[in-house]
Amino acid sequence: MTALVFFLEEPSAKEMLRGILPKILPEDIFPEYKVFDGKQDLEKQLPKRLRAWRKPDCLFVVMRDQDSGDCRKIKSKLRELCRQGGRENALVRIACRSLESFYLGDLAAVERGLGLTGLRSRPNLRKYSNPDNLGNPWQELVKLTGRAYQNVAGSRAIGPCLDLEDNCSQSFQNLVNGLRAILEDR
């Protein structure tokens, strides 16, 4: 059996992945999650953790939020850290601005996951047609849901409801497509 090992900056990413991975992973692949205490902790420990990894038959994925940084620079830095850790083939994915842009890209999943109605019929929803461009997706999601969204619990609830094909977040689509590609190439 092969392990798909995720290096993540926060627990909410783990919860979201636990929701979508059953829709993607073949039966002979099992996920493992290494959750860090924020992006600085992830970046500081990543090379050492990758170098020390001894289990055979593993695929690696590094994922973090863009926040206000330059996506290309962040991705380049993470790729370099993976190279330093001896895992230059690790998949690196950045959630544009934050993980919540994934959820704003699929408001039907937000409704189902949080037990809400009417989100998709609200006026001014055009701004969610490209949620990766929003300045603060977390704030937008909290406001849109009337504060029903909480990071970890919300990710746990919404993750299983996310549609892998019909999501307006390009960074979500990049994550799903990247996962499918490394699984096919193994």
Side-chain angles (χ1 to χ4, degrees):
M1 291 190 67
T2 301
L4 183 59
V5 184
F6 290 90
F7 291 87
L8 308 166
E9 76 168 278
E10 60 187 346
S12 57
K14 174 184 175 182
E15 295 303 326
M16 182 276 303
L17 287 166
R18 289 177 68 193
I20 68 167
L21 289 177
K23 302 173 191 179
I24 299 172
L25 297 183
E27 289 182 15
D28 64 331
I29 303 283
F30 65 95
E32 288 188 36
Y33 307 95
K34 304 302 172 197
V35 180
F36 295 85
D37 190 22
K39 60 184 168 250
Q40 288 88 5
D41 186 40
L42 167 69
E43 291 176 3
K44 179 182 174 187
Q45 294 192 46
L46 186 60
K48 177 176 60 173
R49 291 280 193 99
L50 287 170
R51 242 187 336 272
W53 198 268
R54 296 293 176 240
K55 288 183 187 176
D57 299 322
C58 293
L59 303 169
F60 297 93
V61 179
V62 179
M63 191 173 119
R64 71 155 268 205
D65 290 348
Q66 175 188 2
D67 297 322
S68 61
D70 180 307
C71 188
R72 288 185 179 115
K73 288 180 182 177
I74 293 167
K75 193 169 188 177
S76 178
K77 180 178 182 179
L78 290 173
R79 283 186 172 154
E80 174 58 22
L81 293 172
C82 291
R83 189 195 64 70
Q84 290 172 19
R87 309 289 181 169
E88 49 278 331
N89 61 343
L91 176 67
V92 175
R93 286 295 179 258
I94 309 297
C96 285
R97 300 291 176 231
S98 69
L99 193 62
E100 287 76 16
S101 63
F102 293 0
Y103 309 150
L104 290 170
D106 186 353
L107 292 178
V110 175
E111 285 184 339
R112 283 191 308 277
L114 298 181
L116 301 172
T117 58
L119 295 184
R120 293 176 288 165
S121 62
R122 290 194 180 177
N124 302 321
L125 291 181
R126 185 177 302 168
K127 66 180 172 180
Y128 303 127
S129 64
N130 192 350
D132 294 341
N133 288 337
L134 295 170
N136 190 334
W138 176 83
Q139 187 176 34
E140 291 283 346
L141 188 58
V142 169
K143 182 177 157 186
L144 182 66
T145 62
R147 300 197 180 280
Y149 175 77
Q150 301 293 317
N151 289 9
V152 176
S155 293
R156 186 179 302 123
I158 297 168
C161 301
L162 288 170
D163 186 327
L164 301 183
E165 310 305 325
D166 190 22
N167 191 308
C168 297
S169 169
Q170 187 61 49
S171 61
F172 177 78
Q173 292 303 321
N174 289 340
L175 170 65
V176 171
N177 292 337
L179 292 172
R180 287 178 172 155
I182 65 169
L183 292 170
E184 287 175 13
D185 290 345
R186 64 182 168 106

